[in-house]
Amino acid sequence: MRVITTIHEMQNEIKTQKSLSKSVGFVPTMGFLHEGHLTLLKKARLENDIVVLSIFVNPLQFGPAEDFSTYPRDFNRDKSLAECEGVDFLFYPSVEEMYHHSSSVRVVVQERTDVLCGKSRPGHFDGVATVLTKLFNIVLPTKAYFGIKDAQQVAVVEGLITDFNFPIELIAVDIVREEDGLAKSSRNVNLLPEERRQAAVIYKSLIAAKAAIEGGERDPQVIKSLVSAMITSGFKGQIDYVEVYSYPQLKDLAKLDGTCIIAAAVKFSKVRLIDNIILEVSQEIGGAK
Ligand code: PAF
């Protein structure tokens, strides 16, 4: 594995690989790798000739009150993990390298951002879309891998790739879950033991919603109430949101139809967890996949 810190060197290397007709799998991250990232890397390794991992804590996507300077970083650990996963190139630019002059252009995401987690993070997805535009142009991936746990980010990236005609296949990788269904996250370690037991109810409530849809329920309000009631009966955490939208458009629905997302965010004493399920809903009873 080679660590590359400059845009110029990364672009040259990609040029060489492309001239050899190699497919490029790209996993963009902000480092401090966890199991979710490793799942993306494993899939990228299986599906491509070469794998590029980027580690860049992107200041543009942090709000003024957010934790850019204290965001966890451990490059040596990340590097060893990347080596174990068979990464070919680890792109690790500095902030100066990525934004070395005040930029004259920034990507503004017009839709899919004012709901779910984006509601409380104005400008966050503009920062994500701007850095990904740069990274896509530097790495020129054949396929780019993102975890569907952050379904709103995947929806925004889908819009970016489509609207800007990036010749990239977006691969949304399924949520990895603990045995009791809790979505894996590096934040789960911050749950108190009692909260950890209770947190399994989030996924259980999403599964109950799926069962209700399979039973013929198509009213988004009923589904939201069902999920909220089940979560609040299961623990003392505080619901941040439970929402039902079309996916990936993230628009309100009068009636569940087509591809839909049911998403929840729940606050515990020290940590906020998110989870979702995405379903294909038809108008026949039982029509949910
Ligand atoms: O999901 C992340 O880690 C970041 O938002 C991403 C996609 C690497 C862009 O900085």
Side-chain angles (χ1 to χ4, degrees):
M1 183 179 80
R2 242 176 76 202
V3 177
I4 296 181
T5 56
T6 68
I7 293 170
H8 182 71
E9 198 187 342
M10 190 71 242
Q11 283 183 316
N12 274 346
E13 189 51 59
I14 289 296
K15 210 160 132 196
T16 310
Q17 298 297 335
K18 292 267 160 159
S19 71
L20 298 168
S21 301
K22 303 278 189 195
S23 62
V24 178
F26 179 40
V27 180
T29 77
M30 299 206 298
F32 213 67
L33 302 181
H34 54 68
E35 233 174 299
H37 295 122
L38 303 187
T39 308
L40 304 184
L41 288 171
K42 282 187 175 60
K43 195 161 168 58
R45 183 65 285 167
L46 280 176
E47 296 180 350
N48 299 276
D49 297 321
I50 69 158
V51 174
V52 179
L53 164 71
S54 68
I55 295 182
F56 177 64
V57 185
N58 172 35
L60 285 195
Q61 69 190 74
F62 288 79
E66 291 178 353
D67 55 346
F68 171 70
S69 57
T70 57
Y71 191 84
R73 293 160 169 91
D74 189 344
F75 180 69
N76 289 331
R77 181 178 158 276
D78 287 349
K79 190 169 156 232
S80 311
L81 288 169
E83 253 158 0
C84 289
E85 296 304 333
V87 168
D88 299 291
F89 300 103
L90 199 178
F91 182 48
Y92 182 55
S94 64
V95 172
E96 295 68 37
E97 178 69 12
M98 286 294 278
Y99 302 115
H100 62 95
H101 53 80
S102 63
S103 311
S104 56
V105 179
R106 185 182 283 216
V107 180
V108 176
V109 186
Q110 317 224 61
E111 287 182 3
R112 309 181 181 183
T113 57
D114 57 350
V115 293
L116 304 177
C117 301
K119 224 184 207 171
S120 54
R121 304 188 76 185
H124 166 73
F125 287 110
D126 296 350
V128 171
T130 302
V131 80
L132 286 177
T133 300
K134 288 170 73 74
L135 289 169
F136 287 165
N137 282 323
I138 295 164
V139 176
L140 303 180
T142 320
K143 295 182 179 175
Y145 294 79
F146 294 85
I148 197 69
K149 179 149 177 284
D150 194 344
Q152 188 169 19
Q153 175 164 276
V154 173
V156 167
V157 176
E158 197 274 342
L160 177 72
I161 287 178
T162 305
D163 289 4
F164 285 6
N165 308 101
F166 282 108
I168 298 172
E169 190 182 341
L170 167 60
I171 309 287
V173 179
D174 282 349
I175 297 176
V176 185
R177 298 186 178 278
E178 303 287 354
E179 240 169 62
D180 62 359
L182 178 67
K184 286 201 179 191
S185 159
S186 34
R187 295 192 171 93
N188 291 351
V189 294
N190 295 327
L191 291 164
L192 302 174
E194 178 59 9
E195 291 178 332
R196 171 62 193 84
R197 270 191 297 280
Q198 294 168 344
V201 78
I202 304 171
Y203 184 56
K204 290 199 175 86
S205 72
L206 297 174
I207 290 300
K210 182 173 181 226
I213 295 165
E214 283 165 352
E217 186 55 66
R218 295 290 182 270
D219 184 339
Q221 299 308 328
V222 172
I223 295 299
K224 282 195 233 180
S225 304
L226 183 158
V227 172
S228 302
M230 209 168 147
I231 293 178
T232 40
S233 70
F235 71 83
K236 302 185 196 72
Q238 191 198 331
I239 291 181
D240 190 5
Y241 62 70
V242 171
E243 298 291 357
V244 177
Y245 293 118
S246 62
Y247 194 83
Q249 301 79 6
L250 301 181
K251 296 270 189 225
D252 279 323
L253 291 162
K255 189 167 95 167
L256 286 153
D257 194 10
T259 311
C260 304
I261 183 168
I262 308 171
V266 175
K267 286 181 188 156
F268 290 86
S269 56
K270 284 192 247 154
V271 61
R272 178 176 169 281
L273 302 182
I274 57 169
D275 202 350
N276 70 73
I277 53 171
I278 294 174
L279 305 163
E280 232 14 88
V281 183
S282 74
Q283 287 318 298
E284 296 154 34
I285 300 220
K289 275 192 279 174

